[in-house]
Amino acid sequence: MTMGKPRTRRVLVTHNSIAPSAVALLNAHDIDVFFSPPYDPPEVVAARMADLQPDALMVRQGRIDASVIGGSDRLRVIVKHGVGVDNVDLEAAAARNIPVLRSLGSNALAVAEHAIALMVALLKQFPRLDTAVKAGEWPKPSFIGRDIAGARLGLIGFGAIGRETARLAGALGMSVTVYDPHAAGGVEAAGLASTDSLEALVADIDILSLHCPLTRETRDIVNAGLIARMAPRTLIVNTARGGLIDEAALAAALADGRIAGAGLDSFANEPPSADGPLWTAPNLIVTPHVGGVTAGSAVTMAETAARHIISVLDGNPPDARSLALPASLAA
């Protein structure tokens, strides 16, 4: 908690910290800031909510279920320090008339950069080459690399992150095709090719990159059937939500050489179990869901979330564009 005279309003953050500028912004608007360690079990967070009775909840990490949402009688708004809300029970929030808001656009460039970095590392086979040289091997005589320029990239989703990814990929000389039934006009306006068929998208690409929210419709959108339609050279990159991919199907495809590799920054369960099928898969690069966490994006996400909280607690209606609705998004 911040030091000094207690303020009349409170926010609980499900993490050990947020950007100091966001704390200062909240404090300046009569809001004290409390912290709850990341990934604490919901029952622990619910007890903390009951004890502190915060007016707002800023979600960074961990599962926010009905017990957490119902823990504070004073709770008026839930805001995500980021954009993905699949760890929040949206229906439980709606039942209590508590809006759930996303910090849209705050980490778009950071996540796009991470996606591009995974693509480049996979195309250039950095993990395999690094391991070989450190083991005393010298694979130069037999190695043939893949080109970045001219690589065909397929995007699922063309929101803020998808658009930034397409822009960066284009600057590197990749050709981009987009599948997003909700953004056809935006794709054309950006001068990119689009398709209304997911099967057509994956039929002739080098890289598939995921940039859509996790919804009832998109859960396991990359499954065994879709993977079977991909060429063996295909790489899969996921910097969105883990539930978009059937991880058992992906692990099997990597093990059998049916696709060339994968780069994952998110998983169906986080943290993932240490004995999952993915860990023995070849040509797999994983990172711990940190694509959106850079020095710049951390400040932007926290300040955006803080402004949402201040606005709602001051009596303004929640920003309609930032609302997460249970009808479309999966808890």
Side-chain angles (χ1 to χ4, degrees):
M1 187 186 77
T2 54
M3 302 302 293
K5 182 181 177 180
R7 297 167 178 88
T8 63
R9 306 186 290 190
R10 294 177 171 183
V11 58
L12 180 66
V13 180
T14 61
H15 200 272
N16 295 322
S17 65
I18 56 172
S21 57
V23 175
L25 181 61
L26 290 160
N27 289 169
H29 287 82
D30 193 33
I31 303 170
D32 265 330
V33 182
F34 295 78
F35 297 96
S36 178
Y39 298 114
D40 264 358
E43 59 269 23
V44 173
V45 183
R48 202 165 283 128
M49 292 282 286
D51 180 52
L52 292 171
Q53 290 294 301
D55 306 86
L57 179 64
M58 186 185 296
V59 179
R60 286 198 64 178
Q61 293 165 348
R63 187 162 58 90
I64 308 303
D65 65 9
S67 69
V68 175
I69 294 168
S72 173
D73 295 332
R74 293 171 55 94
L75 187 64
R76 292 172 55 194
V77 62
I78 299 170
V79 178
K80 183 64 185 285
H81 183 284
V83 296
V85 291
D86 53 287
N87 59 331
V88 179
D89 189 333
L90 299 180
E91 293 181 350
R96 292 178 174 270
N97 294 316
I98 297 171
V100 179
L101 296 166
R102 298 165 289 171
S103 302
L104 294 178
S106 56
N107 62 358
L109 180 57
V111 177
E113 289 177 344
H114 200 86
I116 293 292
L118 288 171
M119 294 176 202
V120 170
L122 288 165
L123 280 170
K124 296 303 181 183
Q125 302 181 51
F126 288 159
R128 181 173 75 83
L129 295 175
D130 176 80
T131 300
V133 174
K134 288 177 178 176
E137 302 173 20
W138 192 249
K140 182 175 181 178
S142 61
F143 179 76
I144 299 177
R146 296 178 66 176
D147 296 314
I148 298 172
R152 287 167 287 191
L153 171 64
L155 300 181
I156 299 179
F158 200 63
I161 298 171
R163 290 193 297 272
E164 287 287 0
T165 303
R167 181 180 65 84
L168 295 176
L172 290 172
M174 297 185 193
S175 64
V176 181
T177 303
V178 178
Y179 170 80
D180 189 335
H182 307 291
V187 176
E188 294 174 2
L192 299 173
S194 66
T195 177
D196 57 4
S197 166
L198 194 56
E199 291 74 16
L201 177 76
V202 304
D204 190 29
I205 55 174
D206 297 291
I207 309 164
L208 177 68
S209 190
L210 307 181
H211 301 286
C212 56
L214 178 61
T215 69
R216 294 177 180 91
E217 291 72 31
T218 62
R219 185 174 293 279
D220 287 340
I221 193 170
V222 178
N223 51 38
L226 191 69
I227 291 173
R229 295 175 177 270
M230 300 177 188
R233 69 175 185 277
T234 308
L235 304 166
I236 297 175
V237 170
N238 186 13
T239 53
R241 317 308 286 184
L244 298 171
I245 296 179
D246 179 334
E247 292 178 355
L250 176 63
L254 288 168
D256 295 344
R258 283 181 276 124
I259 59 171
L264 307 178
D265 185 50
S266 58
F267 304 88
N269 295 302
E270 295 183 353
S273 63
D275 58 352
L278 283 170
W279 308 143
T280 57
N283 206 20
L284 173 70
I285 304 174
V286 296
T287 51
H289 208 154
V290 294
V293 185
T294 65
S297 69
V299 172
T300 305
M301 284 188 289
E303 291 182 353
T304 301
R307 283 191 290 270
H308 280 314
I309 289 169
I310 292 164
S311 179
V312 172
L313 295 188
D314 282 352
N316 299 306
D319 177 60
R321 192 175 70 94
S322 302
L323 274 172
L325 302 175
S328 61
L329 295 173

mmCIF file of all heavy atoms in Angstrom, residues 178-207:
data_model
loop_
_atom_site.group_PDB
_atom_site.id
_atom_site.type_symbol
_atom_site.label_atom_id
_atom_site.label_comp_id
_atom_site.label_asym_id
_atom_site.label_seq_id
_atom_site.Cartn_x
_atom_site.Cartn_y
_atom_site.Cartn_z
ATOM 1 N N VAL A 178 -4.564 -12.239 -44.358
ATOM 2 C CA VAL A 178 -5.276 -12.144 -43.078
ATOM 3 C C VAL A 178 -6.590 -12.915 -43.134
ATOM 4 O O VAL A 178 -7.334 -12.831 -44.118
ATOM 5 C CB VAL A 178 -5.568 -10.670 -42.721
ATOM 6 C CG1 VAL A 178 -6.346 -10.568 -41.413
ATOM 7 C CG2 VAL A 178 -4.266 -9.881 -42.638
ATOM 8 N N TYR A 179 -6.868 -13.626 -42.043
ATOM 9 C CA TYR A 179 -8.204 -14.196 -41.825
ATOM 10 C C TYR A 179 -8.792 -13.526 -40.589
ATOM 11 O O TYR A 179 -8.278 -13.687 -39.477
ATOM 12 C CB TYR A 179 -8.133 -15.706 -41.608
ATOM 13 C CG TYR A 179 -9.452 -16.308 -41.152
ATOM 14 C CD1 TYR A 179 -10.466 -16.577 -42.067
ATOM 15 C CD2 TYR A 179 -9.686 -16.580 -39.804
ATOM 16 C CE1 TYR A 179 -11.684 -17.113 -41.660
ATOM 17 C CE2 TYR A 179 -10.900 -17.119 -39.381
ATOM 18 C CZ TYR A 179 -11.887 -17.372 -40.320
ATOM 19 O OH TYR A 179 -13.092 -17.888 -39.909
ATOM 20 N N ASP A 180 -9.829 -12.755 -40.777
ATOM 21 C CA ASP A 180 -10.556 -12.118 -39.672
ATOM 22 C C ASP A 180 -11.935 -11.736 -40.169
ATOM 23 O O ASP A 180 -12.100 -10.703 -40.829
ATOM 24 C CB ASP A 180 -9.819 -10.883 -39.152
ATOM 25 C CG ASP A 180 -10.441 -10.343 -37.856
ATOM 26 O OD1 ASP A 180 -11.651 -10.594 -37.630
ATOM 27 O OD2 ASP A 180 -9.732 -9.682 -37.088
ATOM 28 N N PRO A 181 -12.950 -12.550 -39.890
ATOM 29 C CA PRO A 181 -14.296 -12.268 -40.388
ATOM 30 C C PRO A 181 -14.873 -10.950 -39.907
ATOM 31 O O PRO A 181 -15.816 -10.427 -40.498
ATOM 32 C CB PRO A 181 -15.120 -13.450 -39.841
ATOM 33 C CG PRO A 181 -14.133 -14.511 -39.516
ATOM 34 C CD PRO A 181 -12.878 -13.801 -39.131
ATOM 35 N N HIS A 182 -14.271 -10.390 -38.834
ATOM 36 C CA HIS A 182 -14.810 -9.161 -38.253
ATOM 37 C C HIS A 182 -14.067 -7.913 -38.719
ATOM 38 O O HIS A 182 -14.393 -6.803 -38.281
ATOM 39 C CB HIS A 182 -14.754 -9.241 -36.730
ATOM 40 C CG HIS A 182 -15.403 -10.477 -36.175
ATOM 41 N ND1 HIS A 182 -16.762 -10.686 -36.220
ATOM 42 C CD2 HIS A 182 -14.870 -11.591 -35.589
ATOM 43 C CE1 HIS A 182 -17.053 -11.854 -35.670
ATOM 44 N NE2 HIS A 182 -15.924 -12.428 -35.293
ATOM 45 N N ALA A 183 -13.067 -8.055 -39.573
ATOM 46 C CA ALA A 183 -12.246 -6.892 -39.931
ATOM 47 C C ALA A 183 -11.912 -6.856 -41.412
ATOM 48 O O ALA A 183 -10.856 -6.358 -41.794
ATOM 49 C CB ALA A 183 -10.952 -6.904 -39.112
ATOM 50 N N ALA A 184 -12.815 -7.352 -42.274
ATOM 51 C CA ALA A 184 -12.508 -7.423 -43.705
ATOM 52 C C ALA A 184 -12.197 -6.052 -44.290
ATOM 53 O O ALA A 184 -11.242 -5.879 -45.055
ATOM 54 C CB ALA A 184 -13.672 -8.064 -44.453
ATOM 55 N N GLY A 185 -12.992 -5.056 -43.948
ATOM 56 C CA GLY A 185 -12.748 -3.712 -44.474
ATOM 57 C C GLY A 185 -11.419 -3.147 -44.048
ATOM 58 O O GLY A 185 -10.718 -2.502 -44.838
ATOM 59 N N GLY A 186 -11.032 -3.404 -42.795
ATOM 60 C CA GLY A 186 -9.757 -2.900 -42.302
ATOM 61 C C GLY A 186 -8.574 -3.543 -42.979
ATOM 62 O O GLY A 186 -7.549 -2.898 -43.201
ATOM 63 N N VAL A 187 -8.708 -4.800 -43.326
ATOM 64 C CA VAL A 187 -7.628 -5.502 -44.027
ATOM 65 C C VAL A 187 -7.426 -4.900 -45.408
ATOM 66 O O VAL A 187 -6.284 -4.620 -45.825
ATOM 67 C CB VAL A 187 -7.936 -7.016 -44.136
ATOM 68 C CG1 VAL A 187 -6.847 -7.719 -44.942
ATOM 69 C CG2 VAL A 187 -8.072 -7.638 -42.756
ATOM 70 N N GLU A 188 -8.502 -4.671 -46.120
ATOM 71 C CA GLU A 188 -8.410 -4.083 -47.459
ATOM 72 C C GLU A 188 -7.846 -2.671 -47.396
ATOM 73 O O GLU A 188 -7.033 -2.274 -48.248
ATOM 74 C CB GLU A 188 -9.782 -4.084 -48.112
ATOM 75 C CG GLU A 188 -10.313 -5.482 -48.406
ATOM 76 C CD GLU A 188 -11.740 -5.467 -48.915
ATOM 77 O OE1 GLU A 188 -12.301 -4.361 -49.072
ATOM 78 O OE2 GLU A 188 -12.301 -6.550 -49.153
ATOM 79 N N ALA A 189 -8.267 -1.917 -46.378
ATOM 80 C CA ALA A 189 -7.771 -0.545 -46.227
ATOM 81 C C ALA A 189 -6.273 -0.516 -45.974
ATOM 82 O O ALA A 189 -5.588 0.440 -46.352
ATOM 83 C CB ALA A 189 -8.522 0.161 -45.090
ATOM 84 N N ALA A 190 -5.760 -1.563 -45.342
ATOM 85 C CA ALA A 190 -4.321 -1.650 -45.072
ATOM 86 C C ALA A 190 -3.545 -2.157 -46.281
ATOM 87 O O ALA A 190 -2.322 -2.265 -46.228
ATOM 88 C CB ALA A 190 -4.073 -2.564 -43.875
ATOM 89 N N GLY A 191 -4.243 -2.482 -47.355
ATOM 90 C CA GLY A 191 -3.583 -2.942 -48.564
ATOM 91 C C GLY A 191 -3.096 -4.371 -48.496
ATOM 92 O O GLY A 191 -2.156 -4.744 -49.218
ATOM 93 N N LEU A 192 -3.739 -5.194 -47.666
ATOM 94 C CA LEU A 192 -3.312 -6.569 -47.498
ATOM 95 C C LEU A 192 -4.327 -7.535 -48.098
ATOM 96 O O LEU A 192 -5.505 -7.206 -48.249
ATOM 97 C CB LEU A 192 -3.138 -6.889 -46.004
ATOM 98 C CG LEU A 192 -2.102 -6.062 -45.248
ATOM 99 C CD1 LEU A 192 -2.160 -6.377 -43.763
ATOM 100 C CD2 LEU A 192 -0.702 -6.320 -45.796
ATOM 101 N N ALA A 193 -3.867 -8.722 -48.403
ATOM 102 C CA ALA A 193 -4.754 -9.767 -48.903
ATOM 103 C C ALA A 193 -5.535 -10.362 -47.738
ATOM 104 O O ALA A 193 -5.038 -10.450 -46.615
ATOM 105 C CB ALA A 193 -3.938 -10.858 -49.595
ATOM 106 N N SER A 194 -6.756 -10.760 -48.009
ATOM 107 C CA SER A 194 -7.571 -11.395 -46.976
ATOM 108 C C SER A 194 -8.243 -12.629 -47.551
ATOM 109 O O SER A 194 -8.347 -12.789 -48.768
ATOM 110 C CB SER A 194 -8.630 -10.425 -46.441
ATOM 111 O OG SER A 194 -9.570 -10.114 -47.446
ATOM 112 N N THR A 195 -8.696 -13.495 -46.666
ATOM 113 C CA THR A 195 -9.441 -14.677 -47.069
ATOM 114 C C THR A 195 -10.549 -14.910 -46.069
ATOM 115 O O THR A 195 -10.398 -14.591 -44.878
ATOM 116 C CB THR A 195 -8.527 -15.921 -47.151
ATOM 117 O OG1 THR A 195 -9.307 -17.056 -47.490
ATOM 118 C CG2 THR A 195 -7.829 -16.183 -45.827
ATOM 119 N N ASP A 196 -11.667 -15.448 -46.527
ATOM 120 C CA ASP A 196 -12.764 -15.762 -45.623
ATOM 121 C C ASP A 196 -12.774 -17.234 -45.246
ATOM 122 O O ASP A 196 -13.726 -17.730 -44.644
ATOM 123 C CB ASP A 196 -14.108 -15.365 -46.235
ATOM 124 C CG ASP A 196 -14.359 -16.044 -47.587
ATOM 125 O OD1 ASP A 196 -13.533 -16.877 -47.995
ATOM 126 O OD2 ASP A 196 -15.385 -15.728 -48.212
ATOM 127 N N SER A 197 -11.683 -17.929 -45.574
ATOM 128 C CA SER A 197 -11.583 -19.356 -45.278
ATOM 129 C C SER A 197 -10.303 -19.640 -44.494
ATOM 130 O O SER A 197 -9.194 -19.360 -44.967
ATOM 131 C CB SER A 197 -11.572 -20.174 -46.578
ATOM 132 O OG SER A 197 -11.153 -21.496 -46.340
ATOM 133 N N LEU A 198 -10.466 -20.191 -43.308
ATOM 134 C CA LEU A 198 -9.310 -20.539 -42.498
ATOM 135 C C LEU A 198 -8.482 -21.632 -43.172
ATOM 136 O O LEU A 198 -7.245 -21.608 -43.145
ATOM 137 C CB LEU A 198 -9.792 -21.014 -41.123
ATOM 138 C CG LEU A 198 -8.768 -21.118 -40.002
ATOM 139 C CD1 LEU A 198 -8.061 -19.790 -39.790
ATOM 140 C CD2 LEU A 198 -9.456 -21.567 -38.723
ATOM 141 N N GLU A 199 -9.156 -22.559 -43.814
ATOM 142 C CA GLU A 199 -8.452 -23.633 -44.504
ATOM 143 C C GLU A 199 -7.614 -23.104 -45.667
ATOM 144 O O GLU A 199 -6.488 -23.548 -45.895
ATOM 145 C CB GLU A 199 -9.451 -24.677 -45.014
ATOM 146 C CG GLU A 199 -10.132 -25.486 -43.919
ATOM 147 C CD GLU A 199 -11.188 -24.702 -43.153
ATOM 148 O OE1 GLU A 199 -11.620 -23.627 -43.657
ATOM 149 O OE2 GLU A 199 -11.580 -25.136 -42.062
ATOM 150 N N ALA A 200 -8.170 -22.113 -46.391
ATOM 151 C CA ALA A 200 -7.416 -21.518 -47.497
ATOM 152 C C ALA A 200 -6.218 -20.738 -46.974
ATOM 153 O O ALA A 200 -5.147 -20.731 -47.597
ATOM 154 C CB ALA A 200 -8.331 -20.594 -48.309
ATOM 155 N N LEU A 201 -6.366 -20.092 -45.819
ATOM 156 C CA LEU A 201 -5.260 -19.316 -45.243
ATOM 157 C C LEU A 201 -4.044 -20.197 -44.996
ATOM 158 O O LEU A 201 -2.913 -19.824 -45.326
ATOM 159 C CB LEU A 201 -5.705 -18.664 -43.929
ATOM 160 C CG LEU A 201 -4.614 -17.882 -43.186
ATOM 161 C CD1 LEU A 201 -4.367 -16.542 -43.877
ATOM 162 C CD2 LEU A 201 -4.988 -17.669 -41.722
ATOM 163 N N VAL A 202 -4.249 -21.370 -44.406
ATOM 164 C CA VAL A 202 -3.109 -22.188 -43.971
ATOM 165 C C VAL A 202 -2.560 -23.105 -45.058
ATOM 166 O O VAL A 202 -1.536 -23.762 -44.848
ATOM 167 C CB VAL A 202 -3.493 -23.034 -42.729
ATOM 168 C CG1 VAL A 202 -4.003 -22.141 -41.615
ATOM 169 C CG2 VAL A 202 -4.510 -24.110 -43.078
ATOM 170 N N ALA A 203 -3.217 -23.145 -46.205
ATOM 171 C CA ALA A 203 -2.837 -24.123 -47.225
ATOM 172 C C ALA A 203 -1.474 -23.866 -47.836
ATOM 173 O O ALA A 203 -0.783 -24.810 -48.241
ATOM 174 C CB ALA A 203 -3.898 -24.158 -48.321
ATOM 175 N N ASP A 204 -1.040 -22.605 -47.902
ATOM 176 C CA ASP A 204 0.210 -22.307 -48.611
ATOM 177 C C ASP A 204 0.929 -21.133 -47.966
ATOM 178 O O ASP A 204 1.146 -20.099 -48.575
ATOM 179 C CB ASP A 204 -0.074 -22.004 -50.080
ATOM 180 C CG ASP A 204 1.200 -21.930 -50.913
ATOM 181 O OD1 ASP A 204 2.176 -22.618 -50.547
ATOM 182 O OD2 ASP A 204 1.225 -21.172 -51.894
ATOM 183 N N ILE A 205 1.274 -21.298 -46.676
ATOM 184 C CA ILE A 205 1.994 -20.246 -45.957
ATOM 185 C C ILE A 205 3.245 -20.844 -45.325
ATOM 186 O O ILE A 205 3.374 -22.057 -45.164
ATOM 187 C CB ILE A 205 1.130 -19.578 -44.870
ATOM 188 C CG1 ILE A 205 0.563 -20.632 -43.903
ATOM 189 C CG2 ILE A 205 0.036 -18.723 -45.486
ATOM 190 C CD1 ILE A 205 -0.190 -20.019 -42.722
ATOM 191 N N ASP A 206 4.156 -19.958 -44.958
ATOM 192 C CA ASP A 206 5.355 -20.376 -44.231
ATOM 193 C C ASP A 206 5.173 -20.238 -42.725
ATOM 194 O O ASP A 206 5.766 -20.988 -41.947
ATOM 195 C CB ASP A 206 6.555 -19.524 -44.675
ATOM 196 C CG ASP A 206 6.882 -19.718 -46.139
ATOM 197 O OD1 ASP A 206 7.351 -20.811 -46.496
ATOM 198 O OD2 ASP A 206 6.642 -18.779 -46.934
ATOM 199 N N ILE A 207 4.374 -19.239 -42.316
ATOM 200 C CA ILE A 207 4.183 -18.954 -40.894
ATOM 201 C C ILE A 207 2.714 -18.657 -40.640
ATOM 202 O O ILE A 207 2.085 -17.894 -41.393
ATOM 203 C CB ILE A 207 5.013 -17.730 -40.435
ATOM 204 C CG1 ILE A 207 6.473 -17.860 -40.851
ATOM 205 C CG2 ILE A 207 4.905 -17.545 -38.924
ATOM 206 C CD1 ILE A 207 7.236 -16.551 -40.774
#
